[in-house]
Amino acid sequence: MEDLKISIRSIIVYELIMIIGSMVMSSFDITSDNNLAQLIGNSIIQIISSGYIVYIIKKFYKLENIGFSKIKKDKLVWFIPYIFILISMLYKFIEGIYKNISYFNSTTLISIVLIFIGTVIAGFSEEIMFRGMLLNTLKGKIPLISAMIISSLGFSVMHITTIFAGKTLIQALVNVIASSLLGFAFVPLAIILNNILPLAIFHTLWNFIIIASSTMGINISKVYLFCNPINIIISIILWTIIIKKQKKNTFSKNKLVFSEKLINSI
């Protein structure tokens, strides 16, 4: 149970660092989404919290134990809808940058770099914590489906803490709902792919494009609106497949145990 305690404690400490950092920034009245000072502050907080996760990984885990095992390439077909969404978003985002680049100044470029740094370390940290450490630790201690549910709910509930970053309660709840849809889709994908790297890359680029385009006033492809419906469809299909497989495995194990008991009683 020690590894489970480590993963849960890591998530709690990570969130506490994020919350305390957001509260400190709020005390300095840094509230504008487009404020360079806020981006710098967010990056510092994210680096500190993610640095803690890196420390925990180096001390207690191997990469294959946190979701970086050999990827099942044939299962990447399930990830194709997300790739299409990402390509469409990237195309419009790059096109928007090209059209507006003459209006960019040093502050704009610094903002883009800070947003990229923040989204990369946040995206990878969240995937490692919930679809890596927590999910893989729970899998060996409780039934797989229960582990998947806890991992999904943990990822969703975590996003309520955005209220400490200046979001209203309604905005935070909307964030939780959107995160829930993504979480319940990404957990079975992590199981089927046997690797969280594709999920972390998508998570990172999605957040970067959404935040950077909003900051710079760039209109991106409306294809991103299909992400939630796709999350729902992927969740239904993959959870159904995994649940059926688990039931089949349980039935086979029970049958084997019954056969062994029968043989021993003869």
Side-chain angles (χ1 to χ4, degrees), residues 163-210:
I163 198 170
F164 295 101
K167 302 290 186 183
T168 66
L169 179 59
I170 298 299
Q171 289 173 325
L173 289 175
V174 169
N175 202 5
V176 168
I177 293 172
S179 300
S180 298
L181 296 178
L182 182 71
F184 275 91
F186 271 23
V187 161
L189 276 170
I191 298 292
I192 287 177
L193 292 174
N194 197 43
N195 194 295
I196 63 171
L197 183 59
L199 312 182
I201 292 174
F202 176 86
H203 193 158
T204 293
L205 291 177
W206 169 274
N207 286 348
F208 172 70
I209 294 170
I210 294 294

Side-chain angles (χ1 to χ4, degrees), residues 119-139:
T119 51
V120 166
I121 55 182
F124 272 81
S125 294
E126 290 178 9
E127 291 302 326
I128 287 171
M129 285 190 296
F130 292 99
R131 258 79 72 175
M133 292 191 299
L134 185 59
L135 178 62
N136 284 285
T137 300
L138 287 171
K139 279 195 306 184

Side-chain angles (χ1 to χ4, degrees), residues 41-93:
N42 286 340
S43 296
I44 292 172
I45 296 167
Q46 193 66 66
I47 289 170
I48 294 172
S49 56
S50 297
Y52 170 74
I53 295 299
V54 171
Y55 164 75
I56 293 297
I57 291 170
K58 292 185 72 174
K59 187 173 182 179
F60 298 106
Y61 293 94
K62 295 180 180 178
L63 289 179
E64 56 266 27
N65 299 134
I66 56 170
F68 292 102
S69 301
K70 186 176 180 181
I71 192 169
K72 296 179 180 179
K73 296 179 181 179
D74 58 317
K75 302 299 182 181
L76 282 171
V77 64
W78 291 104
F79 205 67
I80 289 177
Y82 295 101
I83 294 175
F84 278 125
I85 288 176
L86 206 54
I87 289 174
S88 178
M89 290 173 66
L90 272 173
Y91 174 79
K92 293 297 292 183
F93 179 69

Side-chain angles (χ1 to χ4, degrees), residues 218-235:
I218 295 175
N219 292 321
I220 58 174
S221 172
K222 298 299 181 184
V223 171
Y224 79 91
L225 295 173
F226 286 100
C227 193
N228 284 338
I230 287 174
N231 286 334
I232 294 171
I233 294 171
I234 291 291
S235 296

